[in-house]
Amino acid sequence: MKYPQANKDLGQHFLKDQNVINKITELPDEDVDVILEIGPGPGVLSENLTKLNRPYKVIEADRRFHEYLISHLPEENIIFADALEFDLEEAFKIWGWEDKKIWLVSNLPYNISAPLTIKFLQQREISYMSLMYQREVASKILGDGKKNEQGSLLVLCQNFFDVESLCKVAKGAFNPPPKVESQVLSYYRKNEVEVALEEFSEFESFLRKLFSFKRKQLGTVLKNYFPKDKIDNVLNLTAIDVKIRAEALSLEQVYRLYRNFK
Ligand code: SAH
């Protein structure tokens, strides 16, 4: 099918590889009640997603895709909006999705994938996610077993979700091909979390401080934000080395620091 000219500002790269499309649209769990897709474009995932027989809505920024989407979804399920601005909480109320288990699917626009992910984490109804990232960002979220990869996004994602790699995606799987390799991550919301959703802002703001200078020694970084005796006290109490770099902290250590500094 012929699509409109891709709009680079909106990060438009559409999947054309049927294997990848099939993989992303596999139901993560039978418990999924409803499906929300962000940035469907002309609807390359829509055919598979409609077959899953669950309420399915899309949020897309570019109105040019109306004529394509309408062949897959009824008008009331197509929302034209900027997903970053869009009030999900309010929408879930209006749609009666507050007590539903939502599966969020997105070939995310890469230029806003981090803030969108942060937004989705905070919506407790979103129980599953299948999100496409540029590979570098996917590794930062997964950690990939490497040391020194700790950062805010990893900690936030892994606090609220079990995250795993679904598949790596080559440039050629898209039309037009992007400049970077991609990877899809699967998210399953945890029942038990270290830091509760109610504390999201507080936790995020602490992490922003903690990882503000990832390569500097922890003691030096903390000095920018907390009094010296407090730092000495906490590091002593938590048995964390003042010379460790923030990026090398384990998740456990990050949680311990947060609890003691908050
Ligand atoms: N992974 C690809 C993205 C593919 S298509 C990449 O970034 O390289 C992304 C889709 O999201 C497009 O259909 C685009 O129009 C839509 N989009 C971009 N910004 C959006 C926004 N803020 N809200 C909703 N949809 C958006």
Side-chain angles (χ1 to χ4, degrees):
M1 201 195 303
K2 182 109 182 66
Y3 297 141
Q5 176 84 30
N7 177 339
K8 289 227 170 81
D9 293 340
L10 290 175
Q12 292 177 349
H13 300 274
F14 302 112
L15 279 168
K16 62 172 186 187
D17 183 323
Q18 199 57 45
N19 290 326
V20 177
I21 292 174
N22 291 345
K23 190 101 189 152
I24 297 182
T25 53
E26 250 169 47
L27 199 63
D29 195 300
E30 277 303 320
D31 274 355
V32 169
D33 295 315
V34 295
I35 307 170
L36 178 62
E37 186 184 356
I38 306 289
V44 291
L45 304 178
S46 299
E47 193 177 326
N48 284 0
L49 292 176
T50 43
K51 281 191 198 136
L52 296 171
N53 290 320
R54 281 151 171 96
Y56 164 46
K57 291 182 188 279
V58 300
I59 301 175
E60 168 59 55
D62 190 341
R63 289 187 179 271
R64 293 180 305 163
F65 295 124
H66 181 264
E67 60 176 305
Y68 302 86
L69 290 169
I70 199 72
S71 65
H72 297 288
L73 297 97
E75 189 77 47
E76 70 268 21
N77 289 350
I78 307 174
I79 295 119
F80 287 102
D82 178 342
L84 270 180
E85 305 285 324
F86 190 77
D87 188 342
L88 287 173
E89 190 159 338
E90 183 65 18
F92 293 164
K93 272 188 208 148
I94 295 168
W95 302 342
W97 282 18
E98 279 172 294
D99 55 352
K100 299 283 190 252
K101 284 202 159 70
I102 301 173
W103 175 29
L104 192 137
V105 187
S106 183
N107 175 14
L108 287 174
Y110 293 147
N111 54 343
I112 49 170
S113 62
L116 275 178
T117 301
I118 302 261
K119 178 170 172 140
F120 303 151
L121 297 178
Q122 294 173 74
Q123 220 50 62
R124 68 175 71 249
E125 304 88 342
I126 299 178
S127 306
Y128 308 94
M129 304 198 279
S130 305
L131 305 179
M132 175 89 72
Y133 294 92
Q134 67 183 81
R135 204 163 297 168
E136 208 191 321
V137 176
S139 318
K140 277 192 188 145
I141 293 173
L142 285 175
D144 273 357
K146 282 183 224 133
K147 279 190 187 149
N148 303 336
E149 278 253 54
Q150 205 68 274
S152 296
L153 198 55
L154 183 153
V155 178
L156 288 172
C157 289
Q158 296 199 12
N159 179 62
F160 296 104
F161 285 85
D162 288 315
V163 190
E164 56 187 55
S165 173
L166 181 69
C167 57
K168 294 190 170 171
V169 185
K171 299 173 192 175
F174 296 88
N175 184 27
K179 292 206 178 70
V180 292
E181 304 289 333
S182 303
Q183 187 165 2
V184 182
L185 300 184
S186 303
Y187 289 73
Y188 305 84
R189 191 173 286 277
K190 290 179 176 173
N191 293 323
E192 305 280 334
V193 295
E194 288 286 337
V195 179
L197 213 41
E198 288 71 22
E199 289 178 51
F200 194 95
S201 305
E202 200 182 346
F203 189 38
E204 189 190 19
S205 117
F206 174 76
L207 294 175
R208 214 175 289 138
K209 292 175 187 159
L210 186 61
F211 295 115
S212 53
F213 302 95
K214 291 167 75 171
R215 300 219 153 74
K216 285 197 187 165
Q217 295 185 354
L218 185 63
T220 315
V221 177
L222 293 174
K223 257 190 255 166
N224 294 317
Y225 309 104
F226 303 99
K228 183 166 181 325
D229 51 342
K230 173 82 180 168
I231 300 171
D232 291 345
N233 202 343
V234 170
L235 293 185
N236 214 349
L237 202 73
T238 54
I240 296 174
D241 183 356
V242 59
K243 290 195 175 133
I244 194 172
R245 295 166 173 195
E247 60 180 4
L249 289 163
S250 70
L251 267 178
E252 274 319 307
Q253 289 175 321
V254 172
Y255 293 134
R256 259 189 280 152
L257 287 171
Y258 167 69
R259 282 201 201 94
N260 283 283
F261 277 111
K262 76 169 186 175

